[in-house]
Amino acid sequence: MSQNKRQKVFIFDTTLRDGEQVPGCKLNTKEKLELAVRLEELGVDILEAGFPVSSPGDFESVNQIAKTLKNTVVCGLSRAVQNDIEVAAAALKPAKRFRIHTGIGTSDLHIKYKFNSTREEIIERATAAVKLARNFTDDVEFYAEDAGRTENEFLARVIEAVVKAGATTLNIPDTTGYCLPYQYQAKMEYLSNHVAGIEKAILSCHCHNDLGLATANSIAGVMGGARQIECTINGLGERAGNTALEEVVMVLNQHKDLGYYTNINPKLLNPISHEVSEIMRMAVQPNKAIVGANAFSHSSGIHQDGFLKEAQTYEIINPAEVGAEDSKIVLTARSGRSALAHRLQKLGYQYTRNDIDILYPSFLQIADQKKEVKEEDLQAMAAAYNK
Ligand code: KIV
Ligand code: ZN
């Protein structure tokens, strides 16, 4: 499907807010500003810069980011509390374009245990917060915390009330990562079909990864009518994390038939992943999709043989497309003769099939003793053979 027929999905990055909540990932203003500039280059549409009322340092970070970014909408989080909203507005004021993100828990669990309140009172507090935020900007996003476990009928009442109060983006968080993809999709469809005035606003996915479903749920949410995804680089976030930006972007990119596109430059995905990992001192798991060290490594003989004949047999993405290093052929005791010949050839040894047949048993002997056969092992093997 050509890009002009596809619909845009807005990317709302919350690496500097939900991502930074991870223990050990806290950033100072300089570090936050540096990443904000990189995220703007990456092409995020909205950047959640922090939670200004939470500390003077976070106020300062949001304020500096608001002063610096050129095109990206800068967003600040608040609870449905007057002072939170006023402080967020003050921090965001210098931005070319800013959004206030305000909200409240809507599930019965949150209403009872967090707020000791009632459904009716929650609707009143939600609408009052949105009306107050609208005094500072016409770009107001409302979050219904724990929407994933909120009964759809009540959720639709809350959302209808906040749309009437002036909310322009409606965040439907699966705060605890509980939903299954078909349930999250159905929730978005229910809201699209039962909320009067919904066409004036954008529905947003905000999925946590407690069951490893954050990416699948976000894509399902888009298929159910959402047009914004909230996500973080490397999937950082509370507990098991948030939806990984690099994953949802590449899902929509790979499956163009779904009919969506984003503004993200995929070539910057690996560089920014490394930068976030370094600055937040949080390693990326090697098997992480798109940005993990092994995302483009091949180690079993069957895969290596296929890959060396035609890369597409075992790779759906060219690593250059996402700014990753070239694919790697890793030598282990599961590797075959083609991989051994390939790696020796890369070191300048042009061996015949017969040479490789002779070398292969000594290669396996080394491989059985080591996790990986390295370049120096190959050099030693070749030197002994060439004697
Ligand atoms: O997970 C969540 O519900 C949140 C909200 C504050 C948007 O992060
Ligand atoms: Zn969250």
Side-chain angles (χ1 to χ4, degrees), residues 14 17-18 21 173 175 206 208 238 242:
T14 184
R17 200 279 296 170
D18 221 328
Q21 288 172 207
T175 305
H206 180 112
H208 280 266
E238 287 274 356
N242 285 62

Side-chain angles (χ1 to χ4, degrees), residues 289-332:
I290 320 294
V291 296
N294 291 345
F296 300 99
S297 291
H298 305 274
S299 71
S300 90
I302 296 171
H303 288 212
Q304 290 172 332
D305 184 53
F307 173 81
L308 290 169
K309 286 173 177 152
E310 166 53 56
Q312 285 181 56
T313 54
Y314 287 95
E315 272 184 2
I316 59 166
I317 298 168
N318 180 333
E321 247 182 85
V322 291
E325 282 175 19
D326 284 350
S327 310
K328 288 190 203 79
I329 293 289
V330 181
L331 294 179
T332 71

Side-chain angles (χ1 to χ4, degrees), residues 129-311:
V130 169
K131 281 184 189 158
L132 175 62
R134 278 298 299 246
N135 293 332
F136 301 103
T137 173
D138 55 12
D139 189 346
V140 174
E141 174 166 338
F142 174 80
Y143 65 85
E145 197 180 8
D146 205 18
R149 293 186 298 172
T150 302
E151 196 187 277
N152 284 348
E153 227 172 279
F154 176 62
L155 185 61
R157 280 184 57 211
V158 177
I159 295 302
E160 191 163 305
V162 297
V163 168
K164 231 172 165 181
T168 46
T169 303
L170 308 160
N171 181 5
I172 311 300
D174 184 22
T175 305
T176 56
Y178 178 73
C179 287
L180 295 170
Y182 81 92
Q183 293 168 330
Y184 196 65
Q185 177 168 350
K187 202 171 269 293
M188 291 297 185
E189 283 166 355
Y190 185 89
L191 295 172
S192 302
N193 295 327
H194 291 85
V195 172
I198 195 85
E199 67 289 345
K200 290 185 278 189
I202 287 187
L203 281 165
S204 179
C205 308
H206 180 112
C207 297
H208 280 266
N209 204 31
D210 300 67
L211 293 173
L213 290 171
T215 296
N217 281 344
S218 298
I219 300 298
V222 168
M223 291 168 73
R227 290 294 174 270
Q228 177 177 283
I229 296 178
E230 308 197 2
C231 44
T232 61
I233 301 294
N234 299 337
L236 288 171
E238 287 274 356
R239 306 181 308 281
N242 285 62
T243 302
L245 181 149
E246 59 276 9
E247 293 178 9
V248 284
V249 165
M250 289 315 291
V251 171
L252 297 179
N253 222 324
Q254 287 289 301
H255 291 273
K256 293 197 170 54
D257 50 308
L258 288 177
Y260 307 104
Y261 71 95
T262 71
N263 194 38
I264 299 297
N265 177 357
K267 285 197 166 57
L268 298 179
L269 289 173
N270 268 273
I272 198 161
S273 161
H274 298 152
E275 195 167 343
V276 166
S277 166
E278 216 166 277
I279 217 163
M280 288 193 161
R281 293 163 284 278
M282 184 60 71
V284 175
Q285 69 191 63
N287 57 324
K288 169 83 185 60
I290 320 294
V291 296
N294 291 345
F296 300 99
S297 291
H298 305 274
S299 71
S300 90
I302 296 171
H303 288 212
Q304 290 172 332
D305 184 53
F307 173 81
L308 290 169
K309 286 173 177 152
E310 166 53 56

Side-chain angles (χ1 to χ4, degrees), residues 31-165:
E31 292 165 330
K32 271 196 158 189
L33 193 56
E34 194 180 316
L35 282 185
V37 170
R38 291 279 166 274
L39 288 162
E40 181 165 65
E41 284 166 6
L42 178 70
V44 307
D45 299 288
I46 304 104
L47 183 147
E48 189 163 50
F51 183 11
V53 84
S54 65
S55 76
D58 217 34
F59 181 97
E60 176 63 12
S61 299
V62 175
N63 193 244
Q64 289 299 327
I65 292 169
K67 285 178 184 158
T68 307
L69 295 196
K70 295 182 180 73
N71 305 308
T72 312
V73 175
V74 184
C75 176
L77 184 75
S78 67
R79 293 165 296 182
V81 169
Q82 182 176 346
N83 187 50
D84 281 32
I85 295 167
E86 288 170 355
V87 171
L92 292 163
K93 203 161 176 230
K96 292 215 169 59
R97 296 159 69 199
F98 75 82
R99 172 178 299 183
I100 295 178
H101 190 190
T102 189
I104 195 161
T106 54
S107 65
D108 289 335
L109 274 166
H110 279 228
I111 295 173
K112 182 171 175 196
Y113 294 107
K114 270 179 68 178
F115 303 114
N116 186 25
S117 185
T118 62
R119 285 182 164 190
E120 297 314 313
E121 210 176 87
I122 291 296
I123 294 182
E124 275 168 35
R125 287 172 67 173
T127 51
V130 169
K131 281 184 189 158
L132 175 62
R134 278 298 299 246
N135 293 332
F136 301 103
T137 173
D138 55 12
D139 189 346
V140 174
E141 174 166 338
F142 174 80
Y143 65 85
E145 197 180 8
D146 205 18
R149 293 186 298 172
T150 302
E151 196 187 277
N152 284 348
E153 227 172 279
F154 176 62
L155 185 61
R157 280 184 57 211
V158 177
I159 295 302
E160 191 163 305
V162 297
V163 168
K164 231 172 165 181

